[in-house]
Structure formats: structure tokens, C-alpha cells
Amino acid sequence: MKSLTTNLANTMTYVVSAILILVFFAIDISIDNWVDAEFDNALTDKSNYLKTLVKVTPKGTEFDFSGEFMPEFGSSTKASFFQLWQGSNVFERSESLTQYSDANLLKKDIPLNSAVFADVVLPDGRDGRAMVSYFEPQIPKANRAMISKVEPMWLTIAITTEDLSQISVIIDSTLGIGLLLVIVLIRWAVIKVIYRGLTPLNELNMSLKTVNVNEKHIPLSSDSERYLEIEPIRTELNKFVKISQQYLQTEKRITADIAHELKTPISELISLSEIYIRYPDDERIGGSYKQDVLSISLRMKTIVNNLLLLQQASSESINLHCQPININDLMSRVIDELAFKYSAIHARLMIDNRAADKNYLIDEFSLHLILTNLFDNALYYSPAKSMIPIRLTSDSQGLVISIENQLLTCINANDLERLTLPLFQAEQSRSNSDRHGLGLAIVENVAKLNGFTFSFELVSTDKIMFTLHIPVKADRETGLC
């Protein structure tokens, strides 16, 4: 399992390490360049100093050098070297070159009054760096009248770079060790900071472990501490807890209502059976016993079938098959099927069809089920001779079906909000054994499953209107809704 802490620590370590490596690399290059520049400047200073020792007199060119003041050019084991040429002849050599009589320092053809640097191997085999300069000796002012021209000279100074290499190694090692220590410290600091930063999440997790499902809100460790990143999570968790509580209460209510709905017919069956067992010869009981048992069993079957249908609609397990349906034909079929329950149904239902198109791509079973429940609901919960207007209109969005009916008794706002809850019934209808409070719940779930919009509202204190909006289906060939 992946860890956010590990991922954050690794990512931050890699990013910071990469930045530090670039910075240390730049510092190392800068220091190396600075050391090399200082070394070349030291060579230049020595070369310029030696050039000042070259004197031009009427007798010729002289080199007034004293090894006492520059012992590095002596015969020590770490000696430096210089060599002077005038023309093609060697003019002067350092004492350190005495033991290397056959060795000559680097000499290059370069422009007058210029110099070049080069990495060389010294006569004693050590690595070194040389500076070759080609210059014209300066003529004193007193002798300029007598001396018109002096032949230019070459001066080469060669110094070992072993100390420079050692310094570079020390600098590189120091920077490398420092970089490693900094990365280790940063890694440690990053882990500490991340763990400390994730403390609110850990506290929230601990709160979740101990949360009571009956609480309205999930608390954090401190009511005064609120974090911009944590607060949205806490808010959404509180919403989830609230929804879960609502679902829990709904499940409790549905369980109680199912028990209530099934308890009545079961009690009736038990009572009939007990009476028939006690009085088996009573014709008044025995004559209607079979029919009563069948009637009660059919009521129980209706309840169970409706509950199964509600469960299928809620779990989206109903297979939808859209096909062109003639709305007028379907509504006529529904009305004919309900005629056995309501003999005056044809006179009470006032259908006003203003839809531009009579054929719509709809799942026939779903729309038949919705219209059956809505028509039955409107006919049952309205005065016996009241008229029920049914209007069909269409627009660019689809078909709109509205059903309006008067109420036997007024519905309060609380009951109106719970009208589509499974097994919810208004108090005035609980005494009727044919009503189970599942019709509108089934309508709402089947409508959602098909992408319909189902709504209802009170037109007045004693009149309610149900509205079903059926969107237009563009594809008429696939049969998929």
C-alpha cells in the first residue's frame, strides 16, 4: 500500500536535493574557476616581476636576478622553473633547471607583448602550469638616445599544480560531504514537517474511529483549530454522516412499515384459521374461508410485488428498452385497465393533449407503470365525482405530463415532503388495507431510472399537481434509453 507521507518525503527530498546539487555544482565550478584564476594571476605576477629584472644597457641586455629573494626557483624538491630566450638563444635559466641540462621549458610563437597559459609536465615529472610571454625589454630613459632597438625576449615560468590539485580535492570533498549532510538533514526535517503537518489528518482519523453515528457533526481535536485543507473534508464527512443517518432512519421506518403492512394480513389469516379450527362446522365461517384466505394472500402478494419493484427501481436492475410509443394509445390502455376499480374513470379524467408529436421514444413498461400509479393515486385521493385534468404539452426539451386533482383533506408541508418516501401514508389513509404507500415511491425511482423529471406541488390548499417531464431521446434506432 502506498504512503502519502513516504511519497511526499521522497518527492520533496528529490526536488530539494536536485536544487542543492545544482547549487553546490555551481559553487564548486565557481570556486575551481576562482582558484585557477588566482593561480594564473600568481604566475602573471611572478612573470612581471622577472621581466622587471631584465635591464638594457649600452653594453647589452642583463638579467639582475637574486635567488635569495625568490628561493622557489632554487634547487629544492618543490622548485619552480623559469627560462629566458632572446632570439633563438637561451638567455637565462633558473637554478632549478641546472640538474636538467637537456630540458627546456615550453616556448611558443605568439604576438609581441602577449602571453599564453598551458598545462605542462615539469622537467622533474610533476604536473604543472606554464606561462609563456613574449615581450620587448624596457629601455631606460637615459639610454634611449644610445639604444634604438632591442631584440624581444621569451619568458616561460612553470609552477607545479600539485598543491592546486590538493586544494581542489579538499574543496570538492568538503562540498560533497556538506551536500550529503545537508540532504540528510533536509530529509530528516522534511519527514518531521510532514508528520507534523499531517497531524490534523491523524486527529480527524482518530475522531472518525470514535465518532458516534448519532452525532450531527464530526468533531476535530480542537474546535478552535480549523484548516483550509481539512475543513472541506470535514464538511463532506458531515454531509455523508447526515445522509447516512437519513438512510438509517429511512431503513428503520421502512422496516417498521413493512412489518406493519404485513402484520395486518398475517393477523387476519391467523384469526380466520383459529376461528375455523375452533368452529369447523359453522357454515358462515367455512363458506367464505377459502375466499377470505385467497383475498388476504393476494393483498400480501401485492405488497411483496410492489416492494420488489421498488427495490429493482432503486438498484437500477430494470432493463429498459426504448421504442416509439403512441402516448394516446398508452393512456387509453391504462384507463381501461383501471376501469374495474373506478367505474366513472372515463368521465372524471379530462385529457388535454397539446403535444406536437404523439410518438415518443420511451420504455413502455416504465411509462405504463408511472401513469398507472399516478392515475390511480389521483382517482383514489380525490372526491368521488371531482374532475381530474390531465395536460400534455411538448417543447424542444421533450414531453410534459401534468395531473391535477383535489384532495379529500389538506396535506401539511411536512407530509408533502415525505410523500414519495416508501410506505409513507397520510393518517387518513392508513385504515384502508388496499393502500400501502408505495405508488409514488415507485414512480419517483422509475422516473429517475429513465432520466425523467418527476415533481409535485400544492396548487392550492386542497389541490395538488404532479408533473412528469420526459426528455427527447435523439437515437430512435438503437433501442437504448
Side-chain angles (χ1 to χ4, degrees), residues 274-388:
E274 288 177 346
I275 293 174
Y276 185 67
I277 291 172
R278 182 173 295 182
Y279 307 102
D281 299 327
D282 192 331
E283 294 183 358
R284 293 175 301 174
I285 300 174
S288 61
Y289 176 77
K290 295 179 181 180
Q291 187 62 37
D292 291 340
V293 170
L294 177 62
S295 177
I296 295 171
S297 300
L298 289 175
R299 281 167 49 201
M300 293 179 65
K301 179 182 178 181
T302 301
I303 296 173
V304 173
N305 287 340
N306 286 335
L307 287 171
L308 290 175
L309 183 60
L310 178 64
Q311 189 275 334
Q312 290 177 350
S314 302
S315 61
E316 301 182 0
S317 60
I318 297 178
N319 294 323
L320 303 179
H321 180 72
C322 290
Q323 57 184 340
I325 300 297
N326 187 287
I327 298 299
N328 290 336
D329 294 343
L330 181 61
M331 294 182 69
S332 298
R333 192 159 68 251
V334 172
I335 292 172
D336 292 339
E337 292 173 0
L338 291 174
F340 79 97
K341 295 176 64 175
Y342 309 99
S343 58
I345 185 173
H346 291 90
R348 294 182 61 191
L349 297 182
M350 301 173 56
I351 299 177
D352 181 15
N353 191 349
R354 300 181 182 179
D357 191 358
K358 295 181 180 180
N359 295 315
Y360 287 89
L361 191 66
I362 304 171
D363 178 61
E364 183 177 3
F365 171 77
S366 298
L367 187 57
H368 183 279
L369 181 65
I370 291 173
L371 293 178
T372 300
N373 280 280
L374 289 179
F375 288 179
D376 184 30
N377 183 79
L379 290 164
Y380 184 84
Y381 291 105
S382 61
K385 297 183 180 180
S386 63
M387 307 304 294
I388 300 174

Side-chain angles (χ1 to χ4, degrees), residues 39 78 125-128 159-168:
F39 189 85
K78 295 185 178 181
R126 293 176 297 162
D127 292 330
I159 301 177
T160 180
T161 57
E162 289 181 349
D163 293 339
L164 180 64
S165 299
Q166 292 178 358
I167 293 174
S168 298

Side-chain angles (χ1 to χ4, degrees), residues 8-25:
L8 285 174
N10 291 339
T11 302
M12 293 183 66
T13 302
Y14 296 152
V15 172
V16 175
S17 298
I19 295 174
L20 287 176
I21 289 173
L22 292 176
V23 171
F24 274 69
F25 187 70

Side-chain angles (χ1 to χ4, degrees), residues 43 47 50 73 81-85 92 94 97 104-108 116 120 129-135 153-159:
L43 274 177
S47 177
L50 292 176
F73 293 108
F81 306 90
F82 74 82
Q83 187 171 354
L84 274 167
W85 292 268
E92 187 71 35
S94 63
L97 286 173
N104 289 304
L105 298 182
L106 179 66
K107 180 183 179 184
K108 286 187 176 183
V116 294
V120 296
R129 188 167 176 80
M131 175 184 176
V132 181
S133 56
Y134 185 46
F135 67 99
M153 304 182 70
W154 278 271
L155 173 63
T156 299
I157 295 181
I159 301 177

Side-chain angles (χ1 to χ4, degrees), residues 219-281:
L220 289 174
S221 59
S222 174
D223 293 335
S224 62
E225 292 182 357
R226 291 291 183 267
Y227 298 92
L228 184 63
E229 295 80 10
I230 304 297
E231 199 61 22
I233 300 176
R234 179 176 175 273
T235 301
E236 294 302 320
L237 286 173
N238 284 328
K239 290 181 180 178
F240 176 76
V241 169
K242 185 176 181 180
I243 293 173
S244 299
Q245 290 172 345
Q246 292 175 352
Y247 281 139
L248 182 61
Q249 294 300 323
T250 301
E251 291 298 325
K252 289 181 179 179
R253 184 189 63 78
I254 291 176
T255 302
D257 288 343
I258 290 175
H260 172 80
E261 293 295 333
L262 295 178
K263 179 181 179 181
T264 301
I266 291 173
S267 298
E268 292 176 357
L269 286 174
I270 292 173
S271 298
L272 280 175
S273 299
E274 288 177 346
I275 293 174
Y276 185 67
I277 291 172
R278 182 173 295 182
Y279 307 102
D281 299 327

